[in-house]
C-alpha cells in the first residue's frame, strides 16, 4: 500500500499511512484490508477528512451525514463516531472537542 501525504488526490482518493479512502467508490481500506462502513459512517469519515484539523459541531456533522431533514437527537453522532473509531482504530486521531463536536487530526508522517 502506498504511503499517503494526508491529502485528497486525483480521483478522490485519500491516503494516509495505511488508510486509504476512495470517495468515488465509497470504500475504505486499513492495512490493505477492506473496512466495511455503513453509509452514515462513511459520510462522517468523509466530512472529517475533508475538514481535517477543524472542529465540526454535532449539528454540522448531522447535516453532512444525515441531511438537513434529520430531526433526531444529535447524540446519534457520538454513537456513529465511536463505531468509526473502533472500526478504523483511530481513537486518538478522531478527537472529541468537549461540548462542541469532533475534529480529525492527522499526526505527521514518520
Amino acid at each position: 500500500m502506498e504511503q499517503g501525504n494526508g491529502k485528497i488526490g486525483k480521483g478522490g482518493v485519500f491516503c494516509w499511512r495505511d488508510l486509504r479512502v476512495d470517495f468515488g467508490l465509497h470504500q475504505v481500506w486499513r492495512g490493505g484490508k477492506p473496512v466495511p462502513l455503513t453509509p452514515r459512517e462513511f459520510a462522517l469519515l468523509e466530512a472529517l477528512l475533508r475538514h481535517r484539523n477543524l472542529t465540526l459541531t454535532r449539528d454540522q456533522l448531522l447535516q453532512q451525514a444525515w441531511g438537513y431533514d434529520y430531526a433526531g437527537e444529535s447524540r446519534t453522532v457520538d454513537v456513529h463516531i465511536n463505531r468509526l473509531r473502533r472500526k478504523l482504530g483511530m481513537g486518538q486521531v478522531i478527537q472529541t472537542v468537549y461540548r462542541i463536536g469532533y475534529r480529525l487530526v492527522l499526526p505527521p508522517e514518520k
Side-chain angles (χ1 to χ4, degrees):
M1 166 141 321
E2 73 269 15
Q3 289 292 312
N5 58 6
K7 295 185 180 174
I8 299 170
K10 292 181 181 178
V13 175
F14 177 88
C15 294
W16 176 75
R17 295 187 179 170
D18 68 342
L19 176 69
R20 179 181 167 88
V21 180
D22 189 316
F23 296 111
L25 295 176
H26 282 250
Q27 294 181 325
V28 177
W29 297 268
R30 189 78 199 245
K33 297 178 182 176
V35 179
L37 297 181
T38 67
R40 298 289 187 235
E41 291 166 346
F42 188 89
L44 285 171
L45 177 62
E46 182 173 3
L48 290 167
L49 287 172
R50 291 189 185 276
H51 300 93
R52 58 195 171 278
N53 301 320
L54 299 175
T55 299
L56 297 174
T57 67
R58 286 180 181 85
D59 286 338
Q60 288 173 315
L61 290 167
L62 278 171
Q63 289 174 1
Q64 292 190 33
W66 279 263
Y68 291 99
D69 297 333
Y70 184 76
E73 175 63 42
S74 67
R75 289 297 189 189
T76 193
V77 172
D78 301 340
V79 173
H80 284 78
I81 289 288
N82 285 331
R83 288 182 191 154
L84 193 58
R85 284 173 170 156
R86 187 173 52 250
K87 286 182 178 184
L88 295 174
M90 297 177 77
Q92 300 298 315
V93 175
I94 301 173
Q95 301 175 349
T96 301
V97 180
Y98 183 67
R99 302 194 75 172
I100 297 174
Y102 297 93
R103 142 178 81 225
L104 186 137
V105 177
L106 300 177
E109 295 287 333
K110 293 180 181 178

